[in-house]
């Protein structure tokens, strides 16, 4: 079954229960709801494709080892700094010898991708009301500190304040938009409001325009930091309990030299020792301009090639990619088949490769038009881009009369053939990188074709064995199902995911992502014994990351809950809550602790859930109930009053 075009080229805090208008219902109903949602957000239906049984050695660990397939080969690069042991040293170390390039790079948007927030140069104070979620957000300054405050939205304006956060970081240069991060207990969270430069106004951040939006509960993961910062390191272990879990140390704020040239340890050491020959190629540092076109584009594709879903390569982490290596050996991007004029915010590399200009040229690439080390003014940029076009089109002049071209876009080739347009992100318009004829007229409507289950791969899959192709395609299909949510329309895609992942399992593959996917399918198919077996297998892997352990533990907790093993499920939830910032899991832990008659533990868990998500009524009412049963009547009355204030006098929509 072919389902990819082989071209040549999740945290619980994000799944909160609705926080809009809700009734003040009895706790017995809450327990019933908790039992239904169990330890996960939703249970999806479908039958698990039964895999061929793995060998049956004496111990689970032996069984896992016996099932592990051979490691995938890695492409060897002549550049020495592509090796995994070479350290990143930061752009300041590069500046000592490359002052001119460093200063010119500071004028680029890449150099401003992440920064500490100060009042200087920031947008004005403002209020953003969102009737759909009944929330109001206030942006204000206290001295040099920016604050974002969340309140209940009443009919006559902002009501009781729910939470307030000092803003620590800004993401984005502000040329298009600027989002903001706050920091709490070592975790980074995205603010619900963003500054949009083109329209010069504050509005909800992308993905927040819903009734059950997460507020300040959206925890920033490594994928966001990878493309918006120079270099981050995961801190999966900490001596401070309050700083455990999915934390990151930002080594270098903005995108810098090593994002494109690779780690500089060997290069700096060689230059410091004077041990180099200017007449020979310097293989201690990658020069993207000297790489083959596809490898050079992979440097940009780290962040500018993005499908709808991503699949990792078995045994690899996306952040382990280094310039000079093929990106497809670290991650794969997939998308459902879409029209050629589709414009995605991070789809520039894909769009360029779909252009006839690119396909007919052997040299046209990202850096043909983009100067990585500096920026030009508008006139200089237009002249440069036009000169690049005329390298091939000098003998084929534009068919549009010159006077029209000049009046329309100052005779700017890109203005017509790479127009700016709307993307999937609200308020953001970017340049389309598919060079071609873009008809401004709205195309005639055609009947919607039957959706295809097949996926297009945005990179070649030819380097992968068949079992790894099945694994990657199956993971991508399953992610699409998870994103769309439970529906009958998604069942054919779920069945295909089961088939592909089942074949990978039958081949002997036992990596963490595959076992997590199959355990999740078993959970959704109400096969608790099989799900527990797969989750336990995954949790015994030596190279399991903390993120992977949390996801598997979440599945195991739900299955243990369903099996009536409440104490074991509570133990899994204690691990999750100590290593993440998920109010949902604190709430579920409190529910179990209450069922186990651990009043103090239940109070602590419910208090933490309310602290992290003060606008969710279910959490506050659960806290109220336990306060009442432990005799803390004054505090219970206070919590009940706060809860009522969240639903009384609802704002009109």
């Amino acid at each position: 079954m072919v389902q990819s075009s082989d071209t040549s080229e999740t945290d619980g805090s994000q799944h909160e229960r609705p926080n809009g208008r809700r009734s003040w219902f009895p706790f017995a109903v809450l327990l019933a709801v908790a039992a239904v949602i169990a330890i996960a957000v939703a249970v999806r239906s479908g039958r698990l494709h039964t895999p061929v049984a793995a060998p049956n050695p004496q111990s689970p660990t032996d069984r896992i080892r016996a099932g592990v397939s051979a490691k995938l080969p890695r492409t060897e690069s002549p550049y020495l700094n592509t090796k995994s042991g070479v350290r990143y040293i930061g752009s300041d170390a590069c500046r000592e010898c490359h002052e001119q390039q460093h200063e010119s790079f500071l004028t680029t948007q890449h150099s401003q991708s992440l920064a500490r927030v100060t009042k200087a140069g920031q947008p004005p104070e403002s209020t953003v009301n969102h009737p759909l979620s009944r929330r109001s957000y206030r942006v204000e300054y206290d001295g040099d500190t920016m604050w974002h405050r969340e309140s209940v939205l009443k009919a006559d304006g902002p009501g009781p304040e729910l939470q307030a956060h000092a803003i620590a970081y800004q993401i984005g240069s502000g040329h298009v938009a600027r989002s903001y991060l706050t920091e709490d207990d070592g975790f980074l969270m995205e603010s619900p409001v963003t500054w949009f430069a083109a329209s010069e106004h504050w509005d909800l951040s992308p993905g927040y325009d819903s009734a059950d939006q997460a507020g300040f509960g959206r925890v920033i993961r490594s994928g966001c930091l990878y493309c918006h910062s120079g270099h981050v390191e995961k801190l999966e272990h900490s001596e401070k309990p309050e700083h455990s879990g999915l934390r990151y140390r930002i080594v270098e704020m903005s995108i810098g030299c090593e994002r494109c040239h690779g780690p500089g340890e060997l290069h700096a050491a060689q230059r410091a020792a004077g041990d180099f020959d200017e007449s020979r190629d310097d293989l201690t540092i990658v020069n993207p301009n000297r790489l083959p076109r596809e490898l050079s584009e992979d440097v940009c594709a780290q962040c500018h090639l993005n499908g709808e879903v991503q699949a990792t390569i078995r045994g690899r982490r996306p952040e382990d990619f280094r310039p000079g290596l093929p990106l497809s050996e670290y991650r794969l991007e997939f998308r459902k088949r879409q029209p050629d004029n589709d414009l995605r915010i991070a789809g520039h590399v894909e769009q360029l490769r779909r252009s006839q200009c690119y396909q007919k040229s052997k040299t046209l690439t990202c850096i043909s038009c983009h100067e990585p080390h500096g920026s030009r003014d508008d006139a200089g940029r237009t002249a440069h881009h036009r000169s690049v076009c005329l390298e091939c089109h000098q003998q084929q002049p534009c068919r549009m009369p010159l006077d029209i071209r000049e009046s329309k876009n100052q005779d700017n080739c890109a203005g017509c053939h790479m127009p700016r347009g709307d993307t999937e992100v609200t308020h953001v318009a970017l340049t389309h990188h598919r060079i071609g004829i873009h008809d401004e007229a709205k195309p005639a409507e055609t009947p919607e074709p039957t959706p295809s289950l097949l996926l297009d791969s945005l990179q070649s899959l030819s380097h992968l064995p068949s079992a790894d192709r099945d694994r990657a395609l199956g993971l991508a299909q399953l992610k699409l199902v998870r994103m769309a949510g439970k529906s009958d329309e998604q069942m054919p895609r779920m069945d295909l995911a089961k088939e592909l992942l089942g074949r990978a399992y039958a081949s002997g593959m036992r990596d963490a992502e595959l076992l997590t996917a199959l355990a999740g399918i078993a959970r959704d198919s109400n096969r608790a014994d099989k799900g527990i077996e797969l989750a336990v297998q995954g949790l015994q892997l030596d190279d399991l990351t903390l993120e992977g352990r949390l996801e598997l533990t979440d599945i195991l907790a739900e299955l243990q809950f369903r099996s009536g093993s409440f104490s074991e499920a509570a133990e899994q939830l204690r691990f999750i809550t100590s290593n993440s910032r998920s109010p949902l899991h604190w709430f579920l832990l409190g529910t179990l602790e209450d069922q186990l008659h651990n009043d103090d533990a239940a109070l602590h868990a419910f208090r933490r859930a309310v602290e992290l998500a003060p606008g969710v009524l279910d959490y506050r009412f659960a806290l109220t109930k336990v306060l009442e049963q432990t005799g803390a009547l004054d505090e219970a009355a206070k919590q009940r009053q706060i809860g009522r204030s969240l639903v009384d006098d609802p704002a009109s929509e």
Side-chain angles (χ1 to χ4, degrees):
M1 178 184 298
V2 177
Q3 68 157 341
S4 68
S5 66
D6 193 8
T7 62
S8 58
E9 31 231 315
T10 45
D11 185 20
S13 61
Q14 296 185 30
H15 302 282
E16 292 307 325
R17 296 157 66 95
N19 58 7
R21 294 178 194 152
R22 305 184 67 85
S23 60
W24 199 243
F25 51 86
F27 189 68
V29 178
L30 178 62
L31 283 179
V33 173
V36 173
I37 64 173
I39 308 303
V41 179
V43 176
R44 293 157 291 271
S45 60
R47 288 168 38 194
L48 175 66
H49 172 80
T50 305
V52 176
N56 189 26
Q58 294 181 348
S59 71
T61 301
D62 291 336
R63 181 166 70 246
I64 293 170
R65 288 172 179 162
V68 172
S69 304
K71 289 185 177 181
L72 294 170
R74 297 177 187 265
T75 295
E76 291 294 327
S77 170
Y79 287 98
L80 303 177
N81 68 332
T82 59
K83 309 298 181 187
S84 60
V86 185
R87 293 187 305 111
Y88 289 86
I89 58 177
S91 296
D92 285 343
C94 307
R95 181 177 187 174
E96 295 179 13
C97 297
H98 301 281
E99 179 70 28
Q100 181 178 351
Q101 290 91 337
H102 179 83
E103 292 300 321
S104 63
F105 180 74
L106 293 180
T107 66
T108 68
Q109 294 174 36
H110 281 147
S111 72
Q112 305 162 47
S113 58
L114 180 69
R116 282 281 184 184
V117 170
T118 61
K119 186 176 181 180
Q122 293 295 339
E125 295 182 341
S126 185
T127 297
V128 176
N129 292 329
H130 188 234
L132 185 60
S133 65
R134 299 189 60 247
R135 294 292 175 264
S136 177
Y137 296 97
R138 175 68 186 167
V139 179
E140 61 185 32
Y141 298 94
D142 181 5
D144 205 35
T145 302
M146 175 189 284
W147 285 84
H148 288 189
R149 301 180 179 277
E150 181 184 54
S151 301
V152 177
L153 180 60
K154 298 289 188 178
D156 56 352
E161 183 172 284
L162 296 174
Q163 53 188 324
H165 294 274
I167 299 301
Y169 300 98
Q170 63 185 42
I171 290 184
S173 65
H175 177 73
V176 174
R178 185 179 290 164
S179 293
Y180 294 87
L181 306 181
T182 182
E183 191 169 13
D184 179 53
D185 276 352
F187 295 95
L188 293 173
M189 290 81 65
E190 182 182 7
S191 169
V193 289
T194 286
W195 171 255
F196 294 95
S199 53
E200 295 189 339
H201 82 294
W202 291 93
D203 208 336
L204 287 185
S205 300
Y208 278 86
D209 190 14
S210 64
D212 59 349
Q213 52 103 338
F216 289 92
R218 182 184 287 179
V219 176
I220 296 298
R221 292 297 192 89
S222 56
C224 298
L225 292 174
Y226 182 81
C227 280
H228 286 284
S229 68
H231 185 61
V232 297
E233 294 178 351
K234 289 185 179 180
L235 299 179
E236 298 192 353
H237 304 284
S238 175
E239 295 179 358
K240 298 181 178 180
E242 71 273 18
H243 283 169
S244 62
L246 299 175
R247 297 176 57 247
Y248 303 93
R249 182 170 72 91
I250 300 177
V251 181
E252 182 169 12
M253 289 275 190
S254 295
I255 296 168
C257 310
E258 293 170 300
R259 174 51 58 86
C260 298
H261 295 280
E265 178 186 21
L266 296 180
H267 181 69
Q270 180 200 63
R271 296 294 161 140
D275 183 22
F276 60 93
D277 183 350
E278 293 287 2
S279 66
R280 302 177 61 182
D281 287 342
D282 183 358
L283 298 180
T284 64
I285 197 78
V286 168
N287 184 340
N289 200 36
R290 296 180 181 177
L291 292 172
R293 179 164 77 161
E294 189 169 298
L295 291 181
S296 175
E297 288 169 358
D298 277 348
V299 175
C300 303
Q302 295 177 78
C303 299
H304 294 278
L305 177 69
N306 227 345
E308 289 179 270
V309 287
Q310 180 186 110
T312 59
I313 300 296
R314 175 172 55 89
R316 312 272 171 85
R317 299 183 304 175
E319 59 265 29
D320 290 338
F321 166 79
R322 296 191 169 194
L325 299 175
L327 184 62
S328 61
E329 292 186 5
Y330 294 86
R331 79 163 202 253
L332 296 168
E333 297 288 342
F334 297 93
R335 59 179 268 176
K336 291 180 288 189
R337 293 184 177 172
Q338 297 178 357
D340 284 347
N341 64 356
D342 177 52
L343 178 60
R344 294 188 60 82
I345 191 169
H348 307 114
V349 174
E350 177 201 3
Q351 291 166 4
L352 177 63
R353 289 173 176 172
R354 291 158 72 93
S355 307
Q356 288 191 31
C357 288
Y358 177 89
Q359 295 168 3
K360 292 180 178 180
S361 170
K362 294 183 179 179
T363 59
L364 179 63
T365 188
C366 307
I367 54 180
S368 298
C369 297
H370 294 283
E371 167 52 59
H373 290 125
S375 61
R376 300 179 174 90
D377 59 23
D378 290 344
R381 188 181 305 110
T382 297
H384 173 68
H385 292 170
R386 190 169 186 276
S387 69
V388 173
C389 297
L390 292 178
E391 289 179 10
C392 295
H393 293 281
Q394 186 69 49
Q395 303 304 319
Q396 186 182 357
C398 182
R399 288 173 293 187
M400 183 176 289
L402 177 61
D403 59 335
I404 296 179
R405 300 199 310 263
E406 289 180 337
S407 63
K408 185 176 181 180
N409 54 34
Q410 293 75 52
D411 198 18
N412 176 10
C413 305
C416 285
H417 299 288
M418 299 178 69
R420 292 176 68 84
D422 294 333
T423 71
E424 76 279 11
V425 176
T426 308
H427 307 302
V428 175
L430 296 175
T431 300
H432 205 307
H433 277 62
R434 182 176 63 79
I435 308 168
I437 305 298
H438 295 264
D439 190 356
E440 294 182 356
K442 184 178 181 180
E445 292 188 6
T446 57
E448 183 71 22
T450 301
S452 171
L453 294 180
L454 305 186
L455 298 179
D456 288 333
S457 62
L458 305 189
Q459 301 138 288
S460 173
L461 303 181
S462 61
H463 62 294
L464 293 176
S466 60
D468 283 279
R469 294 191 194 190
D470 286 341
R471 173 191 174 277
L473 289 163
L475 290 175
Q477 295 282 14
L478 185 61
K479 287 181 180 180
L480 283 172
V481 174
R482 301 293 192 226
M483 290 165 56
K486 179 182 177 181
S487 68
D488 292 340
E489 291 79 9
Q490 291 301 315
M491 291 315 301
R493 193 178 296 281
M494 172 65 91
D495 290 339
L496 180 55
K498 295 181 211 175
E499 177 185 348
L500 292 164
L501 295 172
R503 289 207 305 250
Y505 186 94
S507 75
M509 199 176 290
R510 298 293 186 275
D511 70 280
E513 280 204 81
L514 177 65
L515 292 172
T516 301
L518 289 172
I521 291 173
R523 172 201 63 195
D524 299 346
S525 304
N526 295 316
R527 300 186 62 192
D529 290 345
K530 173 58 68 176
I532 290 173
E533 177 189 348
L534 291 165
V536 169
Q537 284 186 26
L539 288 169
Q540 291 175 345
L541 293 175
D542 293 335
D543 59 349
L544 186 63
T545 65
L546 178 59
E547 288 176 322
R549 186 172 299 280
L550 286 168
E551 190 169 0
L552 276 168
T553 302
D554 187 31
I555 294 172
L556 181 59
E558 177 176 356
L559 294 174
Q560 289 173 334
F561 180 92
R562 292 188 192 178
S563 302
S565 302
F566 295 154
S567 296
E568 290 82 355
E571 189 61 31
Q572 308 303 339
L573 283 173
R574 293 183 192 110
F575 174 79
I576 294 172
T577 53
S578 67
N579 286 281
S580 65
R581 192 184 186 276
S582 170
L584 174 62
H585 286 93
W586 278 109
F587 164 72
L588 294 170
L589 176 58
T591 301
L592 277 179
E593 299 285 19
D594 185 46
Q595 288 180 320
L596 294 169
H597 306 292
N598 299 328
D599 290 344
D600 290 344
L603 278 174
H604 173 70
F606 287 139
R607 281 193 175 112
R608 185 63 175 146
V610 169
E611 178 185 353
L612 295 176
V616 180
L617 296 179
D618 291 351
Y619 303 169
R620 197 174 293 276
F621 185 69
L623 173 60
T624 301
K625 184 262 181 186
V626 178
L627 287 169
E628 289 175 341
Q629 71 187 24
T630 56
L633 300 182
D634 289 344
E635 185 179 353
K638 178 180 178 182
Q639 291 296 335
R640 186 177 294 278
Q641 181 61 37
I642 295 174
R644 285 173 175 161
S645 74
L646 300 180
V647 293
D648 290 345
D649 186 24
S652 60
E653 299 181 9

